[in-house]
Amino acid sequence: DTEVTQTPKHLVMGMTNKKSLKCEQHMGHRAMYWYKQKAKKPPELMFVYSYEKLSINESVPSRFSPECPNSSLLNLHLHALQPEDSALYLCASSQMTGYQPQHFGDGTRLSIL
Amino acid sequence: EDKVVQSPLSLVVHEGDTVTLNCSYEVTNFRSLLWYKQEKKAPTFLFMLTSSGIEKKSGRLSSILDKKELFSILNITATQTGDSAIYLCAVDFSGGGADGLTFGKGTHLIIQP
């Protein structure tokens, strides 16, 4: 078990559904991240929050919408996803951005039907 | 164009052998290089390297960074079957769209009994 908790662990949804992935950490970290990892590929950065402010990754489609309600929580809202969005979605946190190791949660394995 | 290149991509050895995994990078505004071990779920943090020539060590694992030649190695001595995993190298650099990690493709290490 890691100190970064992600729920749900598995999610199957249709292309018209709306769902949310959740991530929580209580290490006092002020930077939180979303990564996407396809099978047999390395994680790819999607979004970064630093002190609850978003750094936008412009290559991420708008059907993914991040939200940081407070310094401990990070959500990823999903709407109208495509089958190619099926992947492991990893959340990570670090004390701050830069020069700090990121600690990952176990991920949410997402399947789009 | 890959910014972080790992080699070999896969490696099969016998228990007790020593292995060396390589990671080279090409980024500007380098901040740190990190090694992670990934089995079925979350990448788990191993080392963060920021200075050249200073070896980091944890049990049978060690790592060193060469900022002049832009590479790092991860050594595992007296390997055990539990060392079987994908070892990911990631670079943290400032600039670009966001402050996150850029990963190499990973080295898939298999330790045979």
Side-chain angles (χ1 to χ4, degrees), chain A residues 17-113:
Chain A
N17 292 155
K18 282 187 182 180
K19 296 283 185 185
S20 297
L21 309 184
K22 297 186 184 302
C23 175
E24 191 168 1
Q25 56 88 15
H26 293 290
M27 295 179 282
H29 289 175
R30 302 311 301 266
M32 295 185 77
Y33 312 79
W34 280 115
Y35 289 84
K36 174 183 178 179
Q37 187 174 24
K38 300 280 282 184
K40 299 187 189 303
K41 300 284 189 185
E44 292 181 348
L45 181 67
M46 299 177 73
F47 301 105
V48 179
Y49 275 87
S50 178
Y51 288 86
E52 295 143 62
K53 287 184 68 175
L54 175 65
S55 299
I56 298 173
N57 184 324
E58 295 181 357
S59 65
V60 181
S62 59
R63 56 187 184 267
F64 295 92
S65 174
E67 178 196 18
C68 188
N70 59 57
S71 59
S72 300
L73 293 174
L74 186 65
N75 298 321
L76 185 63
H77 302 298
L78 314 172
H79 175 54
L81 295 195
Q82 303 297 309
E84 62 264 28
D85 296 322
S86 297
L88 180 67
Y89 288 84
L90 293 163
C91 174
S93 71
S94 62
Q95 286 188 345
M96 61 187 77
T97 58
Y99 300 105
Q100 303 290 336
Q102 292 181 24
H103 297 274
F104 286 81
D106 282 340
T108 293
R109 192 159 296 282
L110 177 65
S111 298
I112 307 300
L113 300 179

Side-chain angles (χ1 to χ4, degrees), chain B residues 18-92:
Chain B
T18 293
V19 298
T20 298
L21 310 183
N22 304 293
C23 177
S24 63
Y25 62 92
E26 188 171 338
V27 301
T28 53
N29 302 317
F30 171 88
R31 294 198 286 209
S32 61
L33 184 145
L34 298 92
W35 285 97
Y36 288 87
K37 176 183 181 183
Q38 187 172 27
E39 296 172 87
K40 293 196 186 302
K41 294 184 179 177
T44 53
F45 172 71
L46 295 175
F47 299 110
M48 185 175 78
L49 303 153
T50 56
S51 302
S52 274
I54 299 174
E55 185 182 51
K56 294 274 182 101
K57 199 168 170 60
S58 176
R60 297 176 294 102
L61 276 68
S62 64
S63 183
I64 198 161
L65 174 68
D66 185 327
K67 288 170 76 172
K68 183 178 175 186
E69 300 297 331
L70 308 183
F71 79 91
S72 173
I73 60 172
L74 174 69
N75 278 322
I76 309 174
T77 59
T79 52
Q80 303 171 357
T81 54
D83 296 326
S84 297
I86 295 173
Y87 290 83
L88 294 165
C89 171
V91 171
D92 177 15

